[in-house]
């Protein structure tokens, strides 16, 4: 079974598109918590409230990093999506971490991000613009089949 970690932007349904498109393939998918409020508040909900927003965010970031690192370390392939609307600094970290571990990295973003992400793209084994392209890549990796 191929293990794929879907990292990055959480404001669109790109993960669902990949998972649905890969139905029938021998793939298990993992991802960060995509409920934005739960992700932001996990640290204080588990470890206690903070007066400072900095420490509130710090607790959540550290706890989420444990989950993310575990998912990336266990994955065969890491897909990192950079969205259009928000700055995804965590996605840049995830891509760098995956590359440093020697993971097979697929980066996904629109053409308007090509220049800004050129170093991230250089670390990837493939760069896609759409979830459908990622599905085709995964199908090819598992079966050797090209799209019709």
């Amino acid at each position: 079974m191929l293990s794929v970690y879907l990292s990055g932007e959480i404001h669109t349904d790109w993960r669902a598109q990949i998972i649905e498109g890969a139905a029938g393939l021998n793939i298990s998918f993992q991802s960060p918590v995509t409920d934005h409020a739960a992700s932001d508040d996990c640290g204080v909900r588990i470890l206690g409230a903070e007066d400072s927003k900095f420490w509130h965010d710090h607790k959540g970031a550290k706890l989420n990093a444990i989950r993310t690192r575990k998912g990336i370390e266990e994955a065969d392939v890491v897909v990192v999506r950079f969205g259009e609307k928000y700055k995804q600094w965590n996605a840049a970290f995830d891509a760098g971490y995956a590359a440093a571990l020697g993971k097979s990295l697929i980066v996904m973003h629109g053409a308007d991000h090509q220049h800004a992400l050129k170093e991230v793209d250089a670390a990837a084994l493939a760069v896609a613009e759409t979830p459908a392209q990622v599905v085709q890549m995964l199908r090819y990796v598992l079966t050797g089949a090209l799209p019709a």
Side-chain angles (χ1 to χ4, degrees):
M1 177 171 288
L2 187 70
S3 174
V4 177
Y5 189 78
L6 302 173
S7 180
E9 182 261 317
I10 65 168
H11 301 283
T12 63
D13 69 343
W14 69 273
R15 286 180 182 81
Q17 292 178 47
I18 291 172
I19 292 167
E20 289 169 17
L25 294 175
N26 196 16
I27 301 176
S28 69
F29 290 98
Q30 300 296 321
S31 68
V33 172
T34 58
D35 176 324
H36 204 158
S39 176
D40 284 351
D41 295 342
C42 64
V44 295
R45 293 281 301 273
I46 295 168
L47 300 170
E50 291 290 341
D51 293 331
S52 164
K53 181 68 171 148
F54 174 84
W55 292 112
H56 177 278
D57 289 345
H58 187 75
K59 280 184 176 179
K62 295 279 190 157
L63 191 52
N64 283 316
I66 295 170
R67 180 182 172 87
T68 299
R69 288 179 186 184
K70 178 184 180 296
I72 290 172
E73 289 166 5
E74 293 177 353
D76 300 309
V77 176
V78 177
V79 179
V80 180
R81 160 91 171 129
F82 291 86
E84 306 304 321
K85 188 172 181 183
Y86 300 95
K87 304 275 191 267
Q88 286 97 43
W89 307 116
N90 60 322
F93 174 83
D94 293 353
Y97 187 62
L101 292 175
K103 298 296 177 174
S104 295
L105 175 62
I106 299 171
V107 173
M108 186 171 57
H109 60 76
D112 56 327
H113 284 47
Q114 285 175 349
H115 180 72
L117 294 172
K118 63 186 177 295
E119 285 83 4
V120 174
D121 290 351
L125 293 179
V127 179
E129 289 190 18
T130 68
Q133 289 174 325
V134 173
V135 171
Q136 291 170 352
M137 288 180 207
L138 295 173
R139 185 176 320 289
Y140 179 78
V141 166
L142 286 174
T143 69
L146 293 173

